[in-house]
Amino acid sequence: MRDAHLERNSLARWACPELARHTAASGIVPAPSASTVHRWLADDALKPWQHRSWIFPRDPHFALKASRVLDLYQREWEEEPLGEDEYVLSTDEKPGAQARMRIGLPLPPGPERATRIESEYHRLGTLACLAAYDVHRARVMGRCEPTTGIRPFTTLVDQVMQSEPYVLARRVFWVVGNGSSHRNWAAAARLSDAYPNAQMVHLGVHASWLNEIEVYFSVIQRKLLTPGDFEDLDEFAAQIIAFENHYNAAARPFDWKFTRTDLNRLLARIRQHDRHAPHPLAG
């Protein structure tokens, strides 16, 4: 009995043979085999051994912050439509993008055989990818820096705000997360002091999934950085910028369908599981 108790406490996840042994030790007759347990579990609607990561939002103003950004995606601000000379930029950094050079050359694909990529590589260093994405014009403006920080982010802001059409725009909304480069009111003040027509709009904590630039970063990760094989950091940076130009040549705005109505429904559902989660906005 003691041994069975220790086995239960030493396992975070059970396998079918262990479940079959436990069933037999519990005196159930006839005791099922491991394959029978596997079949039962496969047929059952509930599969508690499967899991995925999850973070409940904790920011009490999460709904308000997220709703403002979702309105901007719909070309609205404070219940007023945006004008033709007003723009929405989604921006963030992708830190630690690693340049790697494979030790061996890849083997080409063959019949019923995928391309084989050498798993060993030389580490050539990392770069930070900074980018601003014009939500409605589907245009990316980015750069590579040795690291993230206030100064690299400010350089990106200068690059964008000193170019057309933003330099003469009535308003340019910068949607940002809560990274240290652009966190809190001080970052918003730096932006508006340097460019009076620019306004920073912060998302809540753990809301990067509402920042459209993250979609672009996932595209560049999938289409350029994976599996990745570069000669040096200079080539790495050049390839990232070349990909940006390639992307802009055919880009269309993302088909963004998640609205503040969907957000309210999600937060209401979350509160059924966690009473500390933020309240949805009033209707």
Side-chain angles (χ1 to χ4, degrees):
M1 181 67 69
R2 177 178 173 80
D3 291 341
H5 177 73
L6 288 175
E7 182 183 27
R8 288 198 299 273
N9 288 339
S10 63
L11 296 176
R13 295 185 65 183
W14 290 60
C16 292
E18 291 151 352
L19 285 170
R21 288 199 304 270
H22 176 70
T23 302
S26 300
I28 297 177
V29 178
S33 66
S35 60
T36 299
V37 172
H38 182 276
R39 186 175 68 252
W40 288 348
L41 295 176
D43 293 340
D44 200 85
L46 297 179
K47 295 177 170 54
W49 63 93
Q50 296 179 352
H51 71 276
R52 65 176 181 175
S53 298
W54 176 264
I55 297 178
F56 283 111
R58 290 287 182 266
D59 187 338
H61 305 295
F62 187 95
L64 175 61
K65 293 176 181 178
S67 294
R68 294 193 307 167
V69 170
L70 294 174
D71 287 348
L72 284 173
Y73 292 167
Q74 299 296 319
R75 294 199 61 81
E76 290 185 6
W77 180 252
E78 296 179 345
E79 300 184 359
E80 294 291 334
L82 298 185
E84 293 295 323
D85 58 348
E86 295 180 296
Y87 302 90
V88 179
L89 303 179
S90 169
T91 185
D92 204 356
E93 303 101 341
K94 180 179 177 63
Q98 187 175 99
R100 301 177 293 185
M101 183 173 64
R102 303 288 166 175
I103 292 176
L105 294 175
L107 296 178
E112 300 182 358
R113 188 188 71 206
T115 301
R116 297 180 180 179
I117 303 296
E118 172 68 60
S119 61
E120 291 188 303
Y121 52 83
H122 296 297
R123 299 177 186 269
L124 304 176
T126 61
L127 290 174
C129 303
L130 295 83
Y133 174 71
D134 190 317
V135 170
H136 302 113
R137 296 172 70 236
R139 180 172 179 80
V140 177
M141 297 147 286
R143 61 185 303 106
C144 295
E145 296 283 354
T147 185
T148 60
I150 294 176
R151 182 173 296 178
F153 181 75
T154 300
T155 303
L156 175 68
V157 170
D158 293 340
Q159 172 186 328
V160 174
M161 293 302 298
Q162 294 175 15
S163 66
E164 294 286 355
Y166 314 104
V167 65
L168 298 177
R170 177 170 174 259
R171 282 189 299 187
V172 182
F173 296 93
W174 285 72
V175 176
V176 299
N178 288 272
S180 59
S181 306
H182 37 68
R183 183 184 299 152
N184 65 38
W185 63 269
R190 282 195 303 270
L191 177 65
S192 59
D193 288 346
Y195 300 97
N197 64 334
Q199 181 171 344
M200 188 170 286
V201 183
H202 285 94
L203 282 161
V205 178
H206 302 317
S208 60
W209 53 283
L210 293 174
N211 204 347
E212 286 201 15
I213 189 61
E214 304 300 336
V215 181
Y216 173 74
F217 283 152
S218 69
V219 172
I220 199 172
Q221 179 67 47
R222 185 175 67 253
K223 292 193 172 185
L224 178 66
L225 304 183
T226 304
D229 193 10
F230 304 94
E231 293 286 340
D232 51 38
L233 280 178
D234 289 338
E235 187 207 2
F236 188 42
Q239 290 280 7
I240 291 173
I241 299 303
F243 181 85
E244 176 186 309
N245 295 331
H246 167 80
Y247 181 87
N248 285 337
R252 295 182 178 180
F254 297 131
D255 187 17
W256 191 271
K257 297 180 179 180
F258 193 83
T259 66
R260 65 161 56 209
T261 299
D262 299 312
L263 176 69
N264 276 349
R265 289 172 180 166
L266 175 62
L267 292 178
R269 193 163 70 246
I270 291 175
R271 283 190 62 83
Q272 294 177 1
H273 303 280
D274 182 5
R275 62 185 179 85
H276 300 293
H279 286 276
L281 289 180

